[in-house]
């Protein structure tokens, strides 16, 4: 894959580039500041970009802003946001355009190379990859409590994994259930949440969009 | 026609107010008049004046504070001008290890004695007492005389009619009606001039207040630094040491026992992740990243998203605030939200952040069971004190049974 890495800390950037190259990917460009990132995103149009939230010059959410701006120019440009902390506000902003191809991950999950590569592949494919910590917060926050209260505990865990962006067979593996059982759960979840559309990639977005607006 | 009606109405209220003013300021002169009357009634005897005048003196002292309080109340109600009392507050009476009671002035055997002694000394040493006495002496000859005009006019009118001299009666009525709307008005300027705490006293009070606030702020800050130090020392630092140990062991075991080395490395990775989580929590407690990255409004929105309450946030466009103020307001909102969940068992909350003149105002309402009290030393009291460092205020309206409304106001000079 052609990948762009935007991260201001040299050690982390270098480490990530080496990790990606070790997995046989091509790093087309790196960036260390917000404006650089936006520039690189628009000129290189990578298959997927890894962007740190906080970057110079302001040391605020430059990276996130650059990613959002680039996605406004090029809808669906796959971006995986890395952050030192999880904030559902940011995750919601990324998901808001509904174009897919976004991820929001804790930096430390980069340590888990398999999970990281998996997330990267999913984002590049137009899917979503949201950190479990964010999902946990989304599911417990007050704004979505009422309708979610109708779900059973099992349905809750299925929905959480689904929202992370996992496919049915992966969810089945994680919960030690068959794939058909999972699809039964998903159908009942959609029923309880009042979501009728069932196309494979859209469903995660549908769930998250629902959580957004509820 | 309607003009005449409003004029008459204002004359009516003016007349009533003048009578009220007269009644209040004449309380003490009436006492003295009674004393003189008593003296005359008792007649001769070289010392017969002593008792009535002693009583009148004591009565004056006792009446001065109620009279001034009444006057302040009247002025506030009629003109909206608030004249602060500025009385000295009593320090708490505490029991010493010897069993005696200390009231800030002296040791007493019982708490009742200590309180009584304190009241007396406080009364004696309070400049506000002398201010009150001065006002009770001045008021009758200034405000009192002017307020007496309309009632006197009425009295003349009645007398004139009874004596069958309609000319004098009409004149009295005319005087009463024309002066009635204005006669009570000197009360405000006189009260403001003589009852308000002097500039020096206000300044002294302000210095006391600021000293207390500085002490508060210093103590809070020191405690916060100690907490951070402890958390780092017991948490992240210890974990990093353990991490280093695991890595060293794994290095040693690499050749002899690769399986165990692998297990240790996996453990080390988990340890690194855990210490990261800890540090993240710590950082969030010092300064929430969203606050740094996005400012107050978005940080509160993020807070609302994370809260188990159904929370609605409305925020005006805020200019960048001073970081300490922003942080104080943010943590204040966080604390109020936590209280709403933990103590009031609320399910919904509304937060409104607005700017009013030179202040930022946060209003937070929940649907909980209410009954929140700012007990000394409690969380709300702590919050109030933290806001006071910035001259901010916290008002809580929380009747038992709910709902609770909290209002934080912090002035921002930079706007």
């Amino acid at each position: 894959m052609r990948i762009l890495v935007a991260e201001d800390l040299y050690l982390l950037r270098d480490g990530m580039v080496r990790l990606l190259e070790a997995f046989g990917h091509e790093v087309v460009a790196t960036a260390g500041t917000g404006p650089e990132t936006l520039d690189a995103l628009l000129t290189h149009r990578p298959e997927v970009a890894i962007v740190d939230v906080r970057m110079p010059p302001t040391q605020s959410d430059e990276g996130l802003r650059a990613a959002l701006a680039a996605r406004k120019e090029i809808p669906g440009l796959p971006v995986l946001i890395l952050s030192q902390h999880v904030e559902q506000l940011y995750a919601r902003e990324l998901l808001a355009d509904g174009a897919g191809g976004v991820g929001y991950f804790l930096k430390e999950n980069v340590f888990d190379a398999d999970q990281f590569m998996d997330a990267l592949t999913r984002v590049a494919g137009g899917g979503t990859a949201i950190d479990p910590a964010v999902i946990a917060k989304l599911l417990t926050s007050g704004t979505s409590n009422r309708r979610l209260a109708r779900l059973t505990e099992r349905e809750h865990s299925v929905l959480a994994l689904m929202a992370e962006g996992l496919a049915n067979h992966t969810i089945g593996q994680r919960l030690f259930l068959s794939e058909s059982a999972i699809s039964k759960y998903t159908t009942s979840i959609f029923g309880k949440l009042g979501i009728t559309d069932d196309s494979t990639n859209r469903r995660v977005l549908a769930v998250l969009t629902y959580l957004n607006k509820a | 026609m309607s003009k005449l009606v409003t004029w008459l109405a204002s004359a009516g209220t003016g007349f009533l107010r003048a009578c009220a003013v007269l009644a209040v300021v004449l309380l003490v002169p009436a006492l003295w008049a009674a004393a003189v009357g008593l003296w005359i009634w008792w007649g001769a005897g070289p010392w017969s004046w002593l008792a009535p005048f002693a009583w009148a003196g004591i009565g004056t002292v006792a009446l001065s504070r109620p009279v001034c309080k009444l006057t302040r109340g009247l002025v506030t109600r009629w003109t909206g001008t608030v004249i602060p009392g500025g009385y000295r507050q009593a320090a708490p009476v505490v029991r010493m290890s010897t069993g005696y009671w200390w009231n800030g002035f002296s040791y007493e055997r019982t708490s009742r004695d200590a309180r009584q002694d304190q009241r007396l000394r406080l009364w004696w040493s309070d400049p506000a007492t002398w201010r009150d006495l001065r006002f009770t002496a001045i008021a009758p000859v200034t405000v009192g005389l002017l307020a007496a005009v309309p009632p006197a006019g009425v009295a003349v009118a009645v007398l004139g009619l009874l004596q069958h001299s309609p000319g004098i009666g009409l004149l009295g009525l005319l005087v009463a009606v024309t002066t009635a709307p204005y006669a009570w008005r000197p009360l405000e300027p006189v009260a403001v001039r003589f009852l308000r705490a002097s500039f020096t006293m206000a300044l002294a009070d302000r210095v006391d207040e600021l000293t207390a606030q500085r002490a508060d702020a210093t103590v809070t800050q020191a405690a916060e630094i100690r907490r951070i130090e402890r958390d780092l020392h017991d948490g992240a630092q210890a974990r990093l040491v353990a991490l280093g140990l695991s890595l060293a062991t794994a290095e040693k075991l690499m050749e002899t026992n690769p399986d165990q080395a692998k297990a240790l490395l996996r453990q080390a990775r988990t340890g690194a992740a855990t210490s990261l989580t800890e540090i993240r929590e710590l950082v969030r407690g010092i300064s929430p990243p969203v606050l740094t990255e996005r400012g107050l409004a978005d940080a509160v929105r993020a807070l609302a998203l994370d809260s188990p309450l159904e929370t609605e946030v409305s925020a005006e466009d805020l200019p960048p605030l001073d970081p300490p103020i922003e942080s104080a307001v943010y943590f204040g909102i966080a604390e109020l939200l936590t209280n709403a969940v933990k103590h009031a068992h609320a399910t919904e909350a509304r937060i409104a952040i607005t700017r009013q003149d030179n202040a930022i105002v946060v209003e937070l309402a929940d649907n909980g069971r209410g009954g929140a009290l700012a007990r000394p030393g409690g969380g709300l009291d702590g919050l109030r004190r933290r806001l006071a460092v910035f001259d901010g205020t916290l008002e809580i309206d929380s009747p038992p049974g709910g709902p609770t409304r909290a209002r934080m106001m912090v002035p921002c000079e930079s706007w």
Side-chain angles (χ1 to χ4, degrees), chain A residues 24-167:
Chain A
H25 297 299
E26 180 199 354
V27 176
V28 289
T30 59
T33 68
E36 264 177 47
T37 308
L38 182 57
D39 237 30
L41 279 172
L42 293 180
T43 45
H44 291 281
R45 297 202 175 205
E47 279 175 72
V48 60
I50 301 167
V51 180
D52 183 17
V53 169
R54 194 184 285 199
M55 270 204 273
T58 55
Q59 290 297 349
S60 70
D61 58 344
E62 290 271 342
L64 182 67
R65 274 171 211 274
L68 288 174
R71 278 170 63 84
K72 204 168 260 179
E73 294 285 313
I74 312 165
L77 181 74
V79 177
L80 176 67
I81 295 283
L82 290 184
S83 174
Q84 207 74 257
H85 54 95
V86 289
E87 209 47 78
Q88 40 165 324
L89 189 74
Y90 295 169
R92 282 170 193 245
E93 283 175 1
L94 278 168
L95 290 165
D97 64 5
V102 287
Y104 184 76
F105 251 69
L106 269 179
K107 262 188 193 169
E108 67 206 47
N109 286 342
V110 179
F111 294 171
D112 193 336
D114 293 331
Q115 199 187 337
F116 182 51
M117 288 305 152
D118 179 42
L120 213 53
T121 324
R122 262 187 285 143
V123 172
T128 55
I130 306 295
D131 199 278
V134 179
I135 301 302
K137 276 186 175 176
L138 279 170
L139 291 176
T140 53
S141 73
T143 36
S144 50
N145 262 345
R146 282 201 184 151
R147 297 181 83 172
L148 288 177
R150 294 187 213 152
L151 301 184
T152 64
E153 206 172 306
R154 181 65 86 174
E155 285 166 349
H156 248 289
S157 35
V158 172
L159 177 62
L161 291 172
M162 213 160 81
E164 276 179 44
L166 300 179

Side-chain angles (χ1 to χ4, degrees), chain B residues 113-271:
Chain B
D113 284 352
R115 247 183 273 276
Q116 236 161 30
D117 175 78
Q118 187 188 43
R119 232 189 337 260
L120 220 78
R121 286 176 192 252
L122 208 64
W123 185 90
W124 181 254
S125 65
D126 191 347
T129 305
W130 305 104
R131 209 165 53 224
D132 283 1
L133 276 174
R134 187 181 60 179
F135 179 77
T136 36
I138 292 171
V141 293
T142 52
V143 185
L145 277 182
L146 291 168
V149 173
V154 170
V156 166
V158 170
L159 277 178
L161 287 178
L162 287 178
Q163 307 274 317
H164 303 291
S165 43
I168 295 176
L170 216 62
L171 196 71
L173 200 64
L174 198 69
V175 168
V177 172
T178 46
T179 55
Y182 310 107
W184 63 274
R185 287 181 193 270
L187 184 68
E188 192 206 352
V190 172
V192 166
R193 169 69 185 79
F194 290 101
L195 272 186
R196 193 145 60 185
S198 73
F199 182 67
T200 327
M201 244 197 86
L203 205 62
D205 284 350
R206 179 81 183 129
V207 170
D208 283 352
E209 198 182 311
L210 287 176
T211 311
Q213 279 169 12
R214 191 185 55 187
D216 259 2
T218 318
V219 169
T220 318
Q221 202 171 27
E224 187 66 4
I225 289 173
R226 267 203 306 282
R227 179 185 71 84
I228 294 167
E229 190 269 340
R230 202 177 47 235
D231 283 0
L232 276 177
H233 184 264
D234 297 351
Q237 219 171 326
R239 260 180 220 291
L240 285 178
V241 172
L243 193 66
L245 280 174
S246 314
L247 286 177
T249 321
E251 195 181 8
K252 197 90 192 147
L253 287 173
M254 199 69 102
E255 270 131 43
T256 53
N257 192 345
D259 282 346
Q260 206 184 339
K262 218 179 234 174
L264 269 174
L265 284 175
R266 207 173 306 124
Q267 212 181 319
R269 201 182 65 196
T270 330

Side-chain angles (χ1 to χ4, degrees), chain B residues 289-313:
Chain B
V290 203
L291 190 62
T292 323
E293 287 164 8
R294 287 290 185 86
L296 184 65
D298 270 354
V300 172
R301 285 197 190 101
L303 194 67
L305 284 174
D306 288 348
S307 153
L309 295 176
E310 232 171 278
T311 313
E312 192 185 303
V313 181

